């Protein structure tokens, strides 16, 4: 059995007002606090972070941002610098496919963001994953490994970094990958990081699966040897679903 600690993170995306976010956290907290074998993270929109940080104070639930910018300050209207998030979050999602697809983030920017996050001491959750067309053309392996290489290129110490393998065709579609298929790609990601950073870093690296994870399908993913938790979108907005996914992650290691 893997000694890696599972991590389940909820990506709320552009959902919830501050009041709705607080209500969501309140609904999840009692159960969520009980699953100590798992790192539990919620990633609300930026504007809710302060209020939710306050609500989570003294609990084991950690906060993540959904993005950051790679510069420390300056004329970047609408962007959020890493230092502005310091003391507020522990994690930051980087390179989510929606950022890549709708906001033109490329591998080079993802690499800069990973560096910026590590510099401030955040745990980056770095997202990679292929499109449906790439999947159908059999390009998953080459594409995902190239994304991983680019994301970590030239970074000497990957520190606490987490990777989320999220096939784009599985995100928000209700069509999850097969657990065996996801595990195979995740094992390949681990091997790629091994080539870049060495075997010890690779074997300690936590790699989540993401893409239409629910409480109904997650047990089969968490039973896979290379899958260390989940990045959860839609189901993270449903307290029963999210806490059940965390429970299943806890059961896979206890
Ligand atoms: C995500 O956005 O990272 C995600 C995996 O979404 P969903 O769980 O809704 O597919």
């Amino acid at each position: 059995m893997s000694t890696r600690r599972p991590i389940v993170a909820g990506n709320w995306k552009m959902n919830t007002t501050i009041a709705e976010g607080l209500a969501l956290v309140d609904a999840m907290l009692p159960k969520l606090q009980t699953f100590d074998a798992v790192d539990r993270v919620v990633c609300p929109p930026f504007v809710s972070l302060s209020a939710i940080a306050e609500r989570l104070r003294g609990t084991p639930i950690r906060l993540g941002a959904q993005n950051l910018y790679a510069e420390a300050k300056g004329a970047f209207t609408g962007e959020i610098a890493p230092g502005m998030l310091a003391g507020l979050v522990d994690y930051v999602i980087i390179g989510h496919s929606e950022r890549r697809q709708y906001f033109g983030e490329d591998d080079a920017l993802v690499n800069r963001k990973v560096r910026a996050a590590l510099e401030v001491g955040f745990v980056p959750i770095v997202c990679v994953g292929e499109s449906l067309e790439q999947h159908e053309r059999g390009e998953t392996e080459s594409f995902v490994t190239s994304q991983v290489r680019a994301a970590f290129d030239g970074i000497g110490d990957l520190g606490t970094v987490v990777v989320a393998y999220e096939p784009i065709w599985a995100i928000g579609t209700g069509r999850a990958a097969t657990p065996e298929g996801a595990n195979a790609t995740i094992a390949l990601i681990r091997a790629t990081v091994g080539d870049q950073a060495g075997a010890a870093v690779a074997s300690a690296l936590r790699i989540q699966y993401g893409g239409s994870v629910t409480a109904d399908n997650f047990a089969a993913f968490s039973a896979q040897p290379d899958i260390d938790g989940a990045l959860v979108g839609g189901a993270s907005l449903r307290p029963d679903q999210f806490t059940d996914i965390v429970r299943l992650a806890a059961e896979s290691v206890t």
Side-chain angles (χ1 to χ4, degrees):
M1 186 187 287
S2 155
T3 55
R4 294 181 297 269
R5 186 176 159 82
I7 169 168
V8 176
N11 173 15
W12 295 4
K13 310 193 186 192
M14 198 175 72
N15 294 294
T16 70
T17 62
I18 297 172
E20 288 165 349
L22 287 170
L24 184 54
V25 155
D26 286 344
M28 290 195 271
L29 257 183
K31 263 203 199 165
L32 217 47
Q33 294 194 70
T34 64
F35 302 114
D36 285 331
V38 179
D39 283 345
R40 294 139 286 175
V41 184
V42 292
C43 305
F46 282 125
V47 292
S48 301
L49 288 174
S50 290
I52 293 180
E54 198 54 46
R55 195 62 62 98
L56 293 180
R57 196 185 299 278
T59 79
I61 316 307
R62 295 286 165 261
L63 207 49
Q66 297 176 19
N67 185 26
L68 48 55
Y69 197 53
E71 298 291 334
K73 61 184 338 195
F76 302 102
T77 301
E79 293 295 328
I80 305 289
M84 297 170 185
L85 296 166
L88 209 49
V89 305
D90 294 302
Y91 293 82
V92 58
I93 298 172
I94 293 178
H96 191 280
S97 62
E98 287 151 16
R99 302 267 352 142
R100 295 178 189 254
Q101 195 177 346
Y102 304 135
F103 303 99
E105 291 197 9
D106 60 11
D107 284 338
L109 182 56
V110 169
N111 180 280
R112 286 172 57 213
K113 289 187 174 191
V114 173
R115 289 167 187 265
L118 287 172
E119 254 168 45
V120 180
F122 298 149
V123 178
I125 300 177
V126 181
C127 302
V128 296
E130 80 286 2
S131 68
L132 183 60
E133 295 72 27
Q134 289 165 325
H135 183 71
E136 286 173 344
R137 286 199 300 261
E139 294 169 4
T140 299
E141 296 190 359
S142 58
F143 184 71
V144 169
T145 53
S146 78
Q147 282 186 315
V148 170
R149 279 198 208 95
F152 301 138
D153 186 41
I155 301 178
D157 182 0
L158 289 187
T160 51
V161 92
V162 172
V163 174
Y165 168 55
E166 301 203 303
I168 296 171
W169 47 270
I171 295 179
T173 58
R175 179 188 167 192
T178 64
E180 297 74 17
N183 191 72
T185 304
I186 285 174
L188 188 69
I189 292 170
R190 196 176 299 291
T192 304
V193 171
D195 289 343
Q196 284 180 292
V201 171
S203 79
L205 176 72
R206 295 187 296 173
I207 310 181
Q208 302 170 304
Y209 167 73
S212 295
V213 166
T214 67
D216 295 327
N217 65 20
F218 186 60
F221 287 98
S222 64
Q224 295 292 325
D226 275 288
I227 299 181
D228 305 314
L231 181 56
V232 185
S236 72
L237 298 168
R238 297 169 58 192
D240 288 351
Q241 281 280 320
F242 191 64
T243 51
D244 270 351
I245 291 165
V246 171
R247 176 180 57 76
L248 291 167
E251 286 172 4
S252 74
V253 288
T254 49

